[in-house]
Amino acid sequence: MNRMFLGSGLLAFGLGLLVSPGCGGGDYCAVVFNKEIECAPAEQKALFEGLKDLALKECRDKKDRDAESEKAELECAAKAGCEDFKKCKDALSDAKYAKKVKKEIEAALATGEKLDDALSTCKFSDIKDEGVKKLCGDLFTKALDTATKDLEAIRDKGGDPEGKCFDLTLTAEKVSPEAKTKAEALCKEVDAARRATEAIAEAKKNLDAKTNEVPFQCGMAVEDLEKLGNDWSKTKLAEVTKACYIDLGNAILPAVVPTMQYVCDYHVDQVFKAAKKYSLKDPALDPWLEKAKAKCDTPAAAG
């Protein structure tokens, strides 16, 4: 059914009595309604007959009638077959929607306002117009740049992205496969940064409380960062290993190493292995690592 005649909530197509030439004439409303009824399913025609007068009045009284649009619809109504008529109407509907969407996206690109609304339109609407598709591409690129900077700031603070990674990946997918790959990599950094922040905070907490234990978050954080293996992760890894194994190690080893009798204490072992694996050097810690070596530098050292 032609949605332009559904504004009042009435399915205003029950106009079977208007098919005679005397009633139709050159009246846009009558001509188009007649064609709609002619091409409607049989069960719908009966429902609309009682709405004839009200529907025509509503159409004729409409104040924002568009002469160009009505002319195009009349050309569709002149099609001989219902299949051609429906195809013509669908094409008009697509063109009308494309015009509306184009205006919305151009405004968002120009002003930076209502970007989310325009993005949703581009993401979830069935857009066929090539010009509008290009505008959507420009919008996706702009949105991707903004969202990437936003997530980089969250990553650098070690914050929670709160679903922003999903949105970033969805937007990047609309730009290119390469953009999607970069977005996924950034999201892994965001997750690793959050764990790193937690690990550093827990290490400081243990240091302040004189708790001679390496937090389990430290192991999780260094594992995630090591997997990434890029420049950002290497810098962050250095921060985590300093807090977890150098700063905290300088408290754990002097307190625990002298008390070890037969095997390497678990937390001393964590510091010892990390120092060896990541080549950690510290003037205060190095002598204690050397003292722990006899019990900790063995295949089954920790106890």
Side-chain angles (χ1 to χ4, degrees), residues 147-161:
T148 297
K149 290 177 181 176
D150 186 21
L151 264 180
E152 285 174 344
I154 292 173
R155 175 201 64 190
D156 293 343
K157 292 179 181 178
D160 188 339

Side-chain angles (χ1 to χ4, degrees), residues 154-159 189-190 192-200 221-222 224-226 228 230-243:
I154 292 173
R155 175 201 64 190
D156 293 343
K157 292 179 181 178
E189 290 180 2
V190 171
R194 181 168 50 83
R195 291 195 181 92
T197 299
E198 291 171 358
I200 292 171
V222 295
D224 285 348
L225 291 165
E226 191 176 8
L228 294 178
N230 57 27
D231 291 340
W232 174 85
S233 66
K234 289 174 183 176
T235 300
K236 185 59 68 173
L237 181 61
E239 294 177 21
V240 174
T241 54
K242 181 179 185 303

Side-chain angles (χ1 to χ4, degrees), residues 207 210-213 245-260 265 267-269 271-272 282-292:
L207 187 61
K210 301 186 185 305
T211 301
N212 296 320
E213 298 177 357
Y245 304 115
I246 295 178
D247 295 346
L248 192 53
N250 271 320
I252 294 174
L253 269 62
V256 179
V257 168
T259 69
M260 294 191 311
D265 174 84
H267 295 288
V268 172
D269 186 58
V271 175
F272 188 87
D282 181 76
L285 184 62
D286 290 345
W288 287 105
L289 290 171
E290 187 62 30
K291 290 179 182 180

Side-chain angles (χ1 to χ4, degrees), residues 7 19 39 45 55 81 87 91 97 99 104 111 143 145-146 151 169 179 193 214 219-220 238 245 270 287:
V19 296
C39 296
K45 295 179 184 180
K87 287 181 180 179
Y97 181 67
K99 184 177 180 180
E104 176 187 356
T111 65
D145 182 59
T146 300
L151 264 180
T169 304
V214 176
M220 295 173 60
Y245 304 115
Q270 295 298 300

Side-chain angles (χ1 to χ4, degrees), residues 11-158:
L11 298 177
F13 304 108
L15 305 171
L17 297 179
L18 295 175
V19 296
S20 66
C23 292
D27 186 340
Y28 155 77
C29 295
V31 172
V32 173
F33 285 4
N34 288 345
K35 193 66 177 185
E36 293 280 3
I37 281 298
E38 176 189 335
C39 296
E43 65 272 15
Q44 291 183 344
K45 295 179 184 180
L47 293 175
F48 303 146
E49 287 183 3
L51 302 175
K52 174 187 61 177
D53 293 338
L54 182 59
L56 281 180
K57 183 177 184 307
E58 183 179 287
C59 176
R60 289 165 180 161
D61 290 347
K62 189 176 179 182
K63 293 181 179 180
D64 58 346
R65 291 175 63 169
D66 185 326
E68 185 178 342
S69 176
E70 291 186 3
K71 178 182 177 182
E73 292 216 19
L74 284 170
E75 290 175 356
C76 288
K79 302 290 184 183
C82 286
E83 190 65 30
D84 288 340
F85 169 67
K86 290 176 182 177
K87 287 181 180 179
C88 183
K89 291 290 287 181
D90 286 344
L92 285 182
S93 179
D94 289 343
K96 183 177 180 181
Y97 181 67
K99 184 177 180 180
K100 173 180 175 294
V101 170
K102 182 174 183 288
K103 184 177 180 181
E104 176 187 356
I105 298 169
E106 285 177 336
L109 285 169
T111 65
E113 298 177 0
K114 296 185 177 180
L115 281 172
D116 288 342
D117 292 341
L119 275 172
S120 293
T121 298
C122 286
K123 286 177 183 176
F124 305 115
S125 299
D126 182 20
I127 297 172
K128 299 180 176 66
D129 185 272
E130 291 302 321
V132 176
K133 285 182 180 180
K134 184 182 183 306
L135 280 175
C136 281
D138 295 340
L139 186 64
F140 286 133
T141 299
K142 181 174 182 176
L144 180 62
D145 182 59
T146 300
T148 297
K149 290 177 181 176
D150 186 21
L151 264 180
E152 285 174 344
I154 292 173
R155 175 201 64 190
D156 293 343
K157 292 179 181 178

